[in-house]
Amino acid sequence: MCPTKLYIILSVFLILFPFLTQARYTPPHRGGIAIYWGQNGNEGRLNETCATGRYNYVNLAFLNIFGGGQVPSLNLAGHCDPPSGGCVGLSSEIQYCQSLGIKVLLSLGGGIGNYSFSSTDDAKNFAEYLYNNYLGGQSNSRPLGHAPLDGIDFDIESGSVLYWDDLARFLHDFSRRGRKVYLGAAPQCPFPDKYMGTPLKTGLFDYVWVQFYNNPPCEYNGNITNLINSWNLWSSQNYIKKLFVGLPAATQAAGSGFMPPDVLTGHVVPAINRSPKYGGVMFWSKFWDDQSGYTTRIFNLV
Ligand SMILES: *[C@@H]1O[C@H](CO)[C@@H](O)[C@H](O)[C@H]1NC(C)=O
Ligand SMILES: *[C@@H]1O[C@H](CO)[C@@H](O)[C@H](O)[C@H]1NC(C)=O
Ligand SMILES: *[C@@H]1O[C@H](CO)[C@@H](O)[C@H](O)[C@H]1NC(C)=O
């Protein structure tokens, strides 16, 4: 081969080389941390939770009685007593959290409660109740005072499987009134989730924090394979926009599925954070996070 030809081939290669390698490299996406707050009076105030700087989303847990003609009832355990107006002071704390860029959502459902809809109208009435009492609407009996929350989280684990998709649509419609209503969902990892399977297909959920715990088929068990396989199935659904790994914040926080922090940051996050759908990690709960110090160790590594 004559030197000129070799020179040309070499030049072309050197020019293309950076593009060839860049094409293969997708930079990892930075994730956020979502935390459940509200079910233990000894987990610090809401404003203190936000002031830690470790959380990007706070789910207030739980509004756990509603539907079927029941008077909706919020339960914030030892924090404050909603029926007597004891929680209206949370408004300034909610606004403080929002001023830090933290999204504050009201979480519906949970493991203990009584919630089901009897019809589409029942779901519609409840959506209006949520709008007027927790979101951008108005009512003279707002349990958390005047501050509008950023959205509603669905942690539906019992009762009827019907009409949750209607509730999502009605809530989303309120976004047209000038303030976006964010929707979150916390399905169990076995796919599809019994309660959230149909509602998620509306494509209206902004955040899906899957519970990869208390679910042996798809949780961490000393080996990340089952969890990663399940994550890949969830993330391949085109109606899911932002997906989070939901984990217990301490071994005692769940029956099974605890993952040591170094496994999360060293193995799981690197395996999933090149996906544009990667949203970060969700933890149950602030109380258990305080006990273990979990997110203190990982918040800048996810
Ligand atoms: C939280 O709110 C309480 C009551 O208003 C206040 O005393 C405290 O200083 C606040 N803490 C932070 C971190 O803002
Ligand atoms: C749960 O709610 C339904 C109405 O949706 C009601 O009929 C039932 O009595 C409630 N159960 C309890 C234990 O309160
Ligand atoms: C993890 O589980 C997978 C699937 O069950 C298995 O193929 C693999 O060998 C396991 N890895 C380790 C380190 O045990």
Side-chain angles (χ1 to χ4, degrees):
M1 197 185 276
C2 79
T4 324
K5 247 186 182 168
L6 189 64
Y7 177 77
I8 290 168
I9 289 168
L10 199 65
S11 308
V12 167
F13 179 75
L14 286 174
I15 290 164
L16 286 180
F17 183 73
F19 296 99
L20 294 173
T21 51
Q22 262 174 21
R24 265 194 251 148
Y25 180 75
T26 321
H29 294 89
R30 189 72 204 267
I33 296 183
I35 194 81
Y36 280 86
W37 177 93
Q39 283 302 291
N40 193 306
N42 300 314
E43 63 192 339
R45 304 177 69 107
L46 178 61
N47 63 348
E48 292 163 354
T49 299
C50 294
T52 62
R54 304 196 300 267
Y55 312 115
N56 307 79
Y57 313 87
V58 178
N59 291 321
L60 307 179
F62 291 105
L63 181 63
N64 66 342
I65 294 178
F66 55 86
Q70 302 178 98
V71 177
S73 173
L74 174 67
N75 178 307
L76 291 179
H79 287 289
C80 54
D81 181 49
S84 65
C87 303
V88 296
L90 280 176
S91 260
S92 59
E93 301 188 31
I94 290 162
Q95 286 173 323
Y96 169 74
C97 295
Q98 291 169 334
S99 76
L100 300 174
I102 298 167
K103 297 259 187 298
V104 185
L105 281 71
L106 175 67
S107 190
L108 307 179
I112 301 163
N114 189 8
Y115 46 84
S116 278
F117 300 118
S118 54
S119 64
T120 296
D121 262 4
D122 194 12
K124 183 168 200 251
N125 290 337
F126 182 59
E128 275 161 16
Y129 169 86
L130 289 174
Y131 182 70
N132 290 327
N133 287 278
Y134 291 97
L135 300 168
Q138 289 188 347
S139 139
N140 52 20
S141 59
R142 290 174 65 95
L144 302 177
H146 58 87
L149 296 176
D150 294 292
I152 303 292
D153 173 53
F154 290 46
D155 181 12
I156 307 309
E157 307 193 3
S158 65
S160 162
V161 303
L162 299 175
Y163 310 115
W164 298 106
D165 51 340
D166 291 326
L167 180 66
R169 277 187 284 264
F170 290 130
L171 287 171
H172 179 259
D173 281 349
F174 288 118
S175 294
R176 289 206 224 108
R177 301 199 187 171
R179 187 187 171 96
K180 180 171 165 64
V181 175
Y182 289 86
L183 296 182
Q188 312 292 317
C189 57
F191 186 89
D193 181 70
K194 179 178 171 189
Y195 296 96
M196 294 311 294
T198 304
L200 285 172
K201 285 185 183 168
T202 62
L204 297 176
F205 286 82
D206 299 283
Y207 316 118
V208 180
W209 13 73
V210 179
Q211 299 186 42
F212 290 100
Y213 50 93
N214 297 329
N215 285 300
C218 42
E219 70 190 16
Y220 176 72
N221 58 2
N223 179 330
I224 68 170
T225 305
N226 291 348
L227 184 148
I228 297 291
N229 287 345
S230 175
W231 169 279
N232 289 338
L233 178 56
W234 280 93
S235 68
S236 68
Q237 308 304 315
N238 58 15
Y239 49 80
I240 289 181
K241 296 183 241 178
K242 281 278 175 239
L243 191 58
F244 297 69
V245 186
L247 295 172
T251 48
Q252 313 95 304
S256 61
F258 178 77
M259 177 187 292
D262 58 315
V263 175
L264 175 66
T265 57
H267 299 282
V268 173
V269 169
I272 62 181
N273 70 359
R274 289 183 200 283
S275 158
K277 290 191 181 181
Y278 172 71
V281 190
M282 171 275 272
F283 289 99
W284 176 268
S285 61
K286 173 60 163 53
F287 175 78
W288 291 111
D289 192 23
D290 286 349
Q291 306 305 303
S292 66
Y294 201 123
T295 65
T296 306
R297 293 163 67 181
I298 59 112
F299 76 96
N300 52 4
L301 301 174
V302 299

